[in-house]
Amino acid sequence: MPTETPLLSTRAVEARYGRMQVLWGVDIDIQPGETILLLGANGAGKTTFLKTLVGLLPASAGVISFAGEDIAHLRADKRMRRGIAYMSELGVFPDLTIEENIRIGAQALSTRAARDKAEDMYALFPVLKEKRSGLASSLSGGQRKMLGIAKALAADPRLLVMDEPSAGLSPLFVGEVVRTLGALRGRGLAMLIAEQNIGFLGIATRVYVLEGGRIGFSGTVAAMEGDEALRKAYFGLK
Ligand code: ATP
């Protein structure tokens, strides 16, 4: 059976900070529309891997393809224009208004398309519309994550890459972020979510686990639950 070309695939990706190698031979595939959870403990290399994907850090070796094109040597802005949006752990510019943040997300679009895109985002997140002239710093933690998601979506991406969207949020807000991302599935948008919080498992099509800069597991959520070591590590079960 012919397999679909992955939207994103990495092969043998390595990354380093100076002489310290952090990623070792990372292979992942993301099909169009998939929601992939990248789990890993503190320091496992999740942020480093996301940065190499979006072009904020050069891969020291390996191949990164997006829609069949080798993008490993493209600058971050070029990768964004190809359809990869990145939401960092901070996610927004706190000293800018909500509207300005969304417009920055849409900067690759024409002025008119950016205006339309902002309206789309307000329809998706009405709470942001009410506060559009306020500073991002005036939003609650959960609302800031919504703005971060809106800012990233404003670029009209095919792949939304997110670094720990649960960071700094109370469990109640984490649930809200999970529901928001869950509602975005099925619109042809692929998502890669780096997390330590297993609350995101419910919306994942597949899971990769990074351990010491290497992929230690890849498979479905059911397969992960069937793995004794992962069960102990992530679910605290014997
Ligand atoms: P966390 O959940 O804590 O963000 P992570 O899985 O995202 O962890 P990374 O931030 O990618 O992990 O860090 C991987 C390793 O690289 C760690 O050992 C970290 O100390 C190191 N590291 C990260 N950023 C730098 C940097 N700018 N310079 C040097 N070493 C770094």
Side-chain angles (χ1 to χ4, degrees):
M1 209 172 69
T3 49
E4 209 175 344
T5 310
L7 179 63
L8 178 100
S9 78
T10 70
R11 290 293 174 270
V13 163
E14 299 186 357
R16 51 178 68 239
Y17 296 104
R19 276 183 296 173
M20 189 175 86
Q21 184 161 350
V22 170
L23 296 179
W24 307 78
V26 178
D27 295 354
I28 73 161
D29 286 312
I30 303 179
Q31 302 296 339
E34 269 199 302
T35 301
I36 301 291
L37 190 61
L38 178 68
L39 286 173
N42 271 332
K46 301 181 297 297
T47 301
T48 303
F49 180 58
L50 299 193
K51 285 184 169 173
T52 62
L53 285 185
V54 303
L56 296 175
L57 190 72
S60 50
V63 178
I64 304 174
S65 321
F66 188 69
E69 179 191 10
D70 177 4
I71 59 161
H73 303 289
L74 291 183
R75 286 197 324 241
D77 59 319
K78 294 257 168 57
R79 297 189 204 189
M80 187 178 155
R81 279 168 203 271
R82 299 288 196 283
I84 303 178
Y86 177 55
M87 177 174 143
S88 68
E89 217 172 299
L90 192 59
V92 299
F93 296 110
D95 297 334
L96 299 182
T97 67
I98 282 112
E99 177 87 16
E100 286 164 344
N101 268 282
I102 293 178
R103 290 300 182 97
I104 285 175
Q107 63 185 300
L109 307 181
S110 69
T111 312
R112 183 171 179 171
R115 200 182 316 127
D116 291 349
K117 192 44 89 178
E119 290 310 319
D120 290 350
M121 292 303 116
Y122 292 136
L124 205 54
F125 304 104
V127 65
L128 299 181
K129 184 171 188 175
E130 287 163 30
K131 305 189 173 189
R132 64 202 289 173
S133 312
L135 292 181
S137 59
S138 69
L139 297 174
S140 71
Q143 289 169 345
R144 270 195 223 194
K145 297 292 174 179
M146 299 300 154
L147 178 58
I149 296 167
K151 174 171 168 276
L153 285 179
D156 222 359
R158 298 164 73 188
L159 174 64
L160 175 52
V161 174
M162 282 168 278
D163 197 1
E164 294 208 38
S166 77
L169 294 183
S170 67
L172 189 72
F173 286 132
V174 173
E176 205 177 313
V177 172
V178 171
R179 277 193 300 282
T180 301
L181 295 178
L184 293 174
R185 289 177 310 169
R187 299 177 178 214
L189 174 74
M191 293 188 268
L192 174 61
I193 310 169
E195 264 298 341
Q196 301 191 50
N197 189 316
I198 57 167
F200 290 78
L201 280 172
I203 60 167
T205 357
R206 286 185 301 118
V207 182
Y208 287 95
V209 179
L210 260 183
E211 292 167 0
R214 293 179 166 85
I215 297 291
F217 168 87
S218 77
T220 61
V221 176
M224 185 188 160
E225 285 167 352
D227 183 301
E228 199 184 328
L230 289 176
R231 256 204 338 266
K232 277 188 194 155
Y234 286 95
F235 305 102
L237 303 173
K238 302 252 169 339

